[in-house]
Amino acid sequence: MLSVSDAQAIILNLVQPLDHQRDTEVVNLLAADSRILATPVTSPLDFPHWDNSAMDGYAVRYEDVQHSSTEQPAVLEIVEDIPAGYQPKSTIQPGQAARIFTGAVIPAGADTVVIQENTRRQENRVFILDTPKLQEFVRHKASFYQAGTQLLPAGIKLNAPEIAVLAAAQSLQLSVYRRPRVAIFSTGDELVSVDKQLQPGQIVDSNQYALAALLKRSGAEPLILGIVKDDPVALEKVIAHAVAIADIVLSSGGVSVGDYDYVDKILESLRAKIHIRAVEMRPGKPLTVATFPSTDAINRVSTRSALYFGLPGNPGAVLVTFWRFVLPAIKKLSGITEGWESVFLKVRSHDELRSDGKRETYLWGKLHLIDGVYEFHKAGGSQSSGNLINLAQTNVLAVLPMGKTLISPQEEVQVLQLVNG
């Protein structure tokens, strides 16, 4: 049985990121939110596009105002008003100034802006009541970005700030990585879909819905293959199909040591290489991770090897193993160049947290900000992997390392930040 850290290292090492030539598509800027940029972006525009004012005030020649004070103000003639979006007509001569507004073009001849708070206007004259610094409040052309250089690198997620930059650069069409394709199916004779009436001993399959939601929020495309009964022939057919159409395959159930848990045997029959069979964690011990050859008995012809995750069946364990292992794998696969790993925080525990210490233990709950310090509040009720109900509205998992049996109230605890949206 592998440690959690060793399992994560193996998984990330197995992930083959999408190819920047074969696995890309062109999208409009309005459709680029949350996509991964596949090629670097440059712009023919300088930022700022021209010298402009950072404040409302007066554009002046520094040599005319370098000794100004309240007692002896420099007095300048106002020759032009320059609002934003207006091209100045005048060249500022000695003894002259232009009224200027934030973002407006600095007129020729001027090199400094005096903010209006340090001036007094009288008809067409302005009195400068304080000495500014040379070039104060002037934003120089190309001081933020020089045309032709790299504006944004490949391998980053496009969020609102990046979208704004691209819009300003007039980059209307972008090359982005396609969304990772992730196939999902659940196994078990006891499972029924949400639209069926329950019979004694049956369970509604919630795992597919949870996984599909998590995949969409992670930027992946879920391929939902439904419920598969505990039948080796049916399972082999579905797994073969899933591997042929997806980058990653997620099954839930059927990976423990029960009489009807066939998944590992089927994987071996399909010539898969099993890298992980169990992990020292609770919940989530029965975790299978496998890869398939690029050309094999199921006629897979792509050069990409599918990555298979056989997740446990209990809903709590499914979610915990997704957050801990699958999500980082999807991030790396997606083309992001860094930051795949899970995000851990150190916070204060509000509750007493217990574990038997035999495995790394994950307890779900919620962070609360108390007097400026984040506290972990454990979810009420049972922390059983079969208890789906109290997972609702949680946003972190507290982590008790192997060998740690107790974390007392107000003691520091490490938590895994969940990405639900």
Side-chain angles (χ1 to χ4, degrees), residues 86-367:
Y86 173 81
Q87 180 62 42
K89 302 295 191 297
S90 303
T91 296
I92 304 302
Q93 304 293 337
Q96 294 181 340
R99 178 75 167 108
I100 197 166
F101 297 88
T102 302
V105 177
I106 299 292
D111 58 12
T112 300
V113 171
V114 179
I115 59 173
Q116 62 187 25
E117 291 86 345
N118 292 337
T119 66
R120 177 169 54 85
R121 182 168 181 167
Q122 194 173 76
E123 297 180 348
N124 71 331
R125 295 185 302 166
V126 61
F127 294 76
I128 308 302
L129 308 177
D130 193 20
T131 300
K133 297 177 182 177
L134 176 63
Q135 301 185 9
E136 190 168 25
F137 300 119
V138 174
R139 296 186 291 215
H140 292 283
K141 179 181 178 180
S143 60
F144 300 163
Y145 168 80
Q146 186 174 4
T149 60
Q150 181 172 282
L151 182 65
L152 291 177
I156 63 169
K157 188 175 182 180
L158 299 175
N159 295 313
E162 292 77 24
I163 297 294
V165 168
L166 292 166
Q170 298 184 316
S171 297
L172 297 178
Q173 301 289 317
L174 302 167
S175 176
V176 298
Y177 287 106
R178 65 170 175 82
R179 298 185 187 278
R181 294 186 286 264
V182 183
I184 313 167
F185 64 92
S186 302
T187 68
D189 289 339
E190 75 280 12
L191 298 178
V192 295
S193 58
V194 297
D195 58 338
K196 303 295 184 183
Q197 186 171 349
L198 283 177
Q199 301 298 321
Q202 292 183 331
I203 302 172
V204 175
D205 175 28
S206 62
N207 289 341
Q208 284 194 80
Y209 289 88
L211 290 172
L214 287 168
L215 289 170
K216 289 178 182 178
R217 293 176 184 273
S218 69
E221 177 188 356
L223 308 174
I224 301 175
L225 303 183
I227 298 169
V228 185
K229 298 299 182 182
D230 288 321
D231 171 42
V233 175
L235 275 170
E236 182 169 346
K237 182 178 179 180
V238 170
I239 293 174
H241 174 61
V243 169
I245 64 173
D247 304 298
I248 292 176
V249 179
L250 304 179
S251 69
S252 61
V255 293
S256 61
V257 293
D259 292 340
Y260 297 98
D261 293 335
Y262 304 117
V263 170
D264 280 13
K265 294 178 182 178
I266 293 170
L267 293 175
E268 291 172 349
S269 73
L270 292 173
R271 296 173 52 212
K273 181 177 180 180
I274 299 179
H275 302 270
I276 299 173
R277 295 178 185 271
V279 182
E280 292 175 325
M281 65 184 296
R282 175 176 293 163
K285 174 185 173 183
L287 175 70
T288 296
V289 177
T291 52
F292 292 81
S294 57
T295 303
D296 58 20
I298 58 175
N299 299 317
R300 182 175 176 83
V301 295
S302 169
T303 57
R304 178 174 302 283
S305 174
L307 181 60
Y308 181 92
F309 288 88
L311 306 179
N314 282 326
V318 167
L319 291 173
V320 169
T321 50
F322 180 93
W323 283 316
R324 191 65 183 86
F325 299 119
V326 180
L327 184 58
I330 291 173
K331 287 182 179 179
K332 183 177 180 181
L333 173 70
S334 71
I336 294 176
T337 53
E338 61 183 2
W340 320 310
E341 296 83 0
S342 302
V343 176
F344 291 93
L345 306 172
K346 288 185 177 180
V347 302
R348 188 170 61 198
S349 180
H350 175 268
D351 305 297
E352 181 178 275
L353 308 178
R354 288 189 173 273
S355 164
D356 62 10
K358 296 178 181 178
R359 285 179 272 162
E360 188 166 299
T361 300
Y362 293 76
L363 304 173
W364 42 92
K366 197 169 186 177
L367 286 186

